[in-house]
Amino acid sequence: MTAKEYLRSIRRQSRHIDSLLAQKDRLKDLAEGISGMSYDDVKVQTSRTLPGNRQTDAVYRLIELEERITDEIDRYVDMREDAERYISCLRSFTEQDVLRNYYLAGMTWEEVAEVMGYDVRQIFRIHGKALKHLQEKMSLNVSIKS
């Protein structure tokens, strides 16, 4: 895996978590919107599905999704910590800042340029050098565990 692919996977993981959180909010809204129905005047054949089970099922799905989100967040935190250790090995603070801002903070290239006081083209050049240096560190298998 290249340094760029490695860092991109962290950005993707962050977006994936955001998507799961949005899904959780939608499911929570649906679960809260399911109300019990009165079956007093309705004559129907009974089945295994009892009134209120839809809401219970929705709550169980919500709990399962929350557990999945927790697992994904744990994975993401581990990935970020490893990336932070690699990035910290770079000699140039400017290169470190470009990688942190874009890949870890999720900024756009324009935001990175603005925050750092550079032109976007300069950010791209710094980014290219930073990836090259990071790849060298990764290829050397620099010990990043604390």
Side-chain angles (χ1 to χ4, degrees), residues 91-136:
R91 289 184 180 163
S92 167
F93 292 127
T94 304
E95 290 178 4
Q96 289 180 24
D97 290 344
V98 168
L99 295 180
R100 281 188 186 111
N101 287 335
Y102 184 72
Y103 292 105
L104 302 183
M107 292 181 181
T108 65
W109 291 117
E110 292 76 16
E111 290 169 334
V112 173
E114 184 178 334
V115 165
M116 294 185 65
Y118 288 98
D119 182 72
V120 174
R121 290 179 306 231
Q122 290 172 299
I123 293 296
F124 289 149
R125 281 193 291 274
I126 296 166
H127 174 254
K129 289 179 184 178
L131 287 177
K132 180 183 171 198
H133 294 143
L134 187 64
Q135 185 66 50
E136 290 168 359

Side-chain angles (χ1 to χ4, degrees), residues 72-87:
E72 294 291 336
I73 289 172
D74 289 344
R75 182 171 163 232
Y76 174 69
V77 168
D78 291 342
M79 292 169 71
R80 277 186 61 99
E81 287 174 353
D82 287 346
E84 181 59 44
R85 288 185 192 105
Y86 272 124
I87 291 169

Side-chain angles (χ1 to χ4, degrees), residues 13-146:
Q13 182 70 6
S14 177
R15 287 193 303 270
H16 177 63
I17 290 169
D18 291 343
S19 172
L20 289 174
L21 290 170
Q23 182 181 352
K24 177 187 138 194
D25 289 342
R26 286 191 303 274
L27 185 58
K28 188 175 179 182
D29 290 344
L30 286 172
E32 291 172 352
I34 297 172
S35 62
M37 195 173 148
S38 174
Y39 291 94
D40 295 339
D41 297 332
V42 179
K43 305 285 186 207
V44 293
Q45 183 176 356
T46 59
S47 67
R48 288 182 285 152
T49 304
L50 299 173
N53 276 357
R54 285 183 19 201
Q55 189 169 20
T56 303
D57 290 345
V59 170
Y60 282 129
R61 287 185 188 137
L62 187 58
I63 291 169
E64 289 172 355
L65 183 58
E66 287 176 345
E67 289 172 355
R68 181 174 170 206
I69 291 169
T70 299
D71 291 343
E72 294 291 336
I73 289 172
D74 289 344
R75 182 171 163 232
Y76 174 69
V77 168
D78 291 342
M79 292 169 71
R80 277 186 61 99
E81 287 174 353
D82 287 346
E84 181 59 44
R85 288 185 192 105
Y86 272 124
I87 291 169
S88 294
C89 291
L90 299 177
R91 289 184 180 163
S92 167
F93 292 127
T94 304
E95 290 178 4
Q96 289 180 24
D97 290 344
V98 168
L99 295 180
R100 281 188 186 111
N101 287 335
Y102 184 72
Y103 292 105
L104 302 183
M107 292 181 181
T108 65
W109 291 117
E110 292 76 16
E111 290 169 334
V112 173
E114 184 178 334
V115 165
M116 294 185 65
Y118 288 98
D119 182 72
V120 174
R121 290 179 306 231
Q122 290 172 299
I123 293 296
F124 289 149
R125 281 193 291 274
I126 296 166
H127 174 254
K129 289 179 184 178
L131 287 177
K132 180 183 171 198
H133 294 143
L134 187 64
Q135 185 66 50
E136 290 168 359
K137 298 291 184 188
M138 291 173 71
S139 295
L140 294 172
N141 201 14
V142 172
S143 176
I144 59 169
K145 300 294 179 189
S146 52

